[in-house]
Amino acid sequence: MSRLVRVPAPPEVPAEALLFAVRGRELVIVEEGGGVGIPRLGAVRELAAEAIHHLGCLGGRHCYAAALGDEADLPQGTGLMALRPLMLGLDEELAGVAGLAFQIVDWERTHRFCGACATPTELVAGERAKRCPACGLLAFPRVAPAVIARVTRGDEILLARGRRFPDPVYSVLAGFVDPGESLEQTVARELEEEVGIEVEDVRYFASQPWPFPHSLMVGFTARWAGGDLRVDPVELVDAGWFSRDALPLLPPPLSIARRLIDDWVAPADMPRGQAP
Ligand SMILES: [Zn+2]
């Protein structure tokens, strides 16, 4: 599958376009060759509650997003699937478009009125923006950066169990970036606040859009530089240093958290900008 290309919307909505129809945190899907696919717009057009948003072109097919009407009956052969397993089970490019669709629908839902003067907003033609016709305020879809950091100490990795996760999963630590903060400063602050340690050698690893509801996870690696673990009881149930042969239950594959851990367990041949 190729990547989503931002192209102008065609004058007529093509029937063979894909419709990413969203209700709450679920997406309408079709069974396709034993896997999960996205329905053609022509077959499910009546599902869209209001405006449909053009997202771009994926592998030569136009993609649209729409909120699913509450009353909509799903056509035969379609079903609803929650976003989180979908993001981790779909083809990466398709998952990216699904994540974008969720964020656009959420943006539409939460920006119906101007935040300054409460006038109903209007979509700006040709742009992913909403404008207030009274005061001119522009609103764009929000992206909230968060860091996620793998910290190692010798042959051990720092993993923690968050209070908000229902499963007893241990993962690397993450936190949202504060206004005025660099990503490296966020890494240092989060680790200080959540487990009371200092880190050094903070290096970029990779990033992953995370539409819950509009994050961008920016992954880093770092080395422990000092301090004993002191767990913040508000955020965490537990934290500890783990060796490769005694790892706890880990996050699902394909999440950036798991990629950071897997890369440490069995480093890929590809250079990561970090000496072995
Ligand atoms: Zn306004």
Side-chain angles (χ1 to χ4, degrees):
M1 186 68 77
S2 50
R3 6 192 93 255
L4 185 74
V5 184
R6 285 283 294 273
V7 294
E12 297 275 315
V13 177
E16 72 275 15
L18 302 178
L19 179 66
F20 292 76
V22 175
R23 175 153 67 197
R25 293 201 161 191
E26 293 179 313
L27 184 75
V28 176
I29 50 108
V30 285
E31 303 279 333
E32 221 172 56
V36 170
I38 306 300
R40 282 157 193 259
L41 199 148
V44 293
R45 175 82 192 234
E46 67 283 359
L47 292 178
E50 292 168 18
I52 62 173
H53 290 263
H54 184 249
L55 300 175
C57 218
L58 184 70
R61 292 169 98 180
H62 287 282
C63 298
Y64 291 82
L68 183 63
D70 288 337
E71 307 294 308
D73 287 325
L74 295 183
Q76 193 86 32
T78 65
L80 286 167
M81 191 169 175
L83 177 57
R84 199 177 282 263
L86 194 69
M87 289 292 296
L88 300 174
L90 272 184
D91 166 277
E92 192 176 354
E93 294 303 336
L94 217 45
V97 184
L100 171 62
F102 271 89
Q103 291 183 71
I104 295 301
V105 166
D106 188 64
W107 171 63
E108 173 72 43
R109 185 180 65 82
T110 55
H111 290 78
R112 290 159 53 217
F113 300 94
C114 174
C117 75
T119 302
T121 54
E122 295 170 349
L123 276 172
V124 180
E127 277 191 72
R128 199 161 282 156
K130 300 193 90 176
R131 190 198 311 275
C132 171
C135 75
L137 185 73
L138 282 170
F140 301 93
R142 208 158 26 129
V143 176
V147 300
I148 183 161
R150 177 185 82 203
V151 182
T152 49
R153 184 182 71 176
D155 286 337
E156 296 174 313
I157 186 170
L158 173 65
L159 296 172
R161 187 178 159 198
R163 207 161 272 290
R164 272 171 283 178
F165 293 115
D167 302 323
V169 166
Y170 280 73
S171 186
V172 289
L173 288 168
F176 282 104
V177 179
D178 268 348
E181 209 171 40
S182 72
L183 299 171
E184 291 82 356
Q185 285 170 336
T186 310
V187 171
R189 177 180 55 76
E190 281 292 331
L191 288 158
E192 212 296 309
E193 285 176 3
E194 296 197 5
V195 288
I197 62 165
E198 291 166 40
V199 292
E200 62 186 8
D201 200 18
V202 176
R203 294 184 190 215
Y204 176 72
F205 175 79
S207 64
Q208 183 177 49
W210 198 242
F212 304 100
H214 42 239
S215 297
L216 172 67
M217 303 299 290
V218 188
F220 287 89
T221 61
R223 281 187 298 137
W224 172 82
D228 293 326
L229 289 183
R230 170 181 48 76
V231 172
D232 172 8
V234 176
E235 295 283 333
L236 303 176
V237 177
D238 185 31
W241 297 103
F242 294 85
S243 60
R244 287 179 176 84
D245 55 9
L247 289 170
L249 184 61
L250 298 174
L254 302 183
S255 62
I256 190 163
R258 183 60 176 269
R259 284 168 57 198
L260 275 161
I261 298 168
D262 287 349
D263 175 76
W264 172 77
V265 171
D269 289 338
M270 278 201 312
R272 294 276 187 197
Q274 188 174 355

